Amino acid sequence: MLSNSSLDIVLHDTYYVVSHFHYVLSLGAVFGIFCGFSLWWGLIVGVLFDKFLMFVVFFIMFFGVNLTFFPLHFAGMHGYPRKYLDYPDVYCVWNIIASFGRILRVFSLLLFVFLLIDSLLKQRVFLLEEFANGGPEGALGFYVFSHSYQGEVYFWA
């Protein structure tokens, strides 16, 4: 949207640019990091976390990110300036909604850290048999993703 020069002139130095940038980073990169932790935590540490509470963490974080950055798109389109110490009172509603989303994100991050510490304290042992199905995992002694192993190899003669 900002590749359009007329819109870029209007939206330059507004919260639209800031919110779009952070919206993409939060939903793209940060959620990828959380997915990596969720997938590899049991293999690296050897204990499992509570899966239901991890779903709760995901949904609270997802709702918090959307509640933080999505309203700031509208505030930026209405001219909410960035790099200002004080702003007009008309943008107060957008700022309150975004602040509430930030509180949700902090709460979900604290709950995530609690789940990781809880998994270490409760010692839910990670068993390789939960994932192995008699395939190459058992032969190699560690977990291999199912798409990274091919049983038969065909050569053209």
Side-chain angles (χ1 to χ4, degrees):
M1 187 169 163
L2 292 175
S3 63
N4 185 343
S5 61
S6 60
L7 286 176
D8 187 40
I9 291 170
V10 172
L11 296 176
H12 184 71
D13 279 340
T14 65
Y15 254 82
Y16 181 85
V17 178
V18 175
S19 65
H20 179 71
F21 179 73
H22 287 91
Y23 196 69
V24 170
L25 283 180
S26 292
L27 289 175
V30 174
F31 277 92
I33 292 169
F34 278 112
C35 288
F37 257 95
S38 299
L39 178 66
W40 293 105
W41 180 254
L43 288 167
I44 293 172
V45 179
V47 293
L48 295 174
F49 49 80
D50 187 1
K51 289 183 183 179
F52 175 74
L53 287 178
M54 193 59 84
F55 282 120
V56 171
V57 166
F58 169 76
F59 285 114
I60 293 174
M61 177 71 84
F62 185 77
F63 188 67
V65 166
N66 282 304
L67 198 61
T68 301
F69 297 115
F70 194 68
L72 289 179
H73 281 89
F74 299 118
M77 283 193 263
H78 290 139
Y80 186 8
R82 57 182 269 206
K83 300 180 184 176
Y84 279 57
L85 182 61
D86 195 14
Y87 52 87
D89 290 337
V90 71
Y91 304 116
C92 187
V93 173
W94 298 118
N95 197 8
I96 290 171
I97 293 171
S99 298
F100 183 69
R102 176 66 182 151
I103 292 169
L104 283 177
R105 289 188 310 150
V106 168
F107 175 72
S108 68
L109 182 64
L110 292 175
L111 184 59
F112 178 74
V113 171
F114 168 76
L115 283 176
L116 296 182
I117 293 171
D118 181 58
S119 70
L120 292 173
L121 294 177
K122 288 192 177 174
Q123 292 293 317
R124 291 183 200 96
V125 179
F126 176 79
L127 298 175
L128 191 60
E129 288 78 20
E130 290 181 22
F131 295 98
N133 57 1
E137 299 90 7
L140 294 175
F142 58 90
Y143 183 70
V144 179
F145 290 108
S146 61
H147 65 271
S148 65
Y149 179 78
Q150 184 176 357
E152 294 114 9
V153 178
Y154 297 102
F155 295 98
W156 292 95

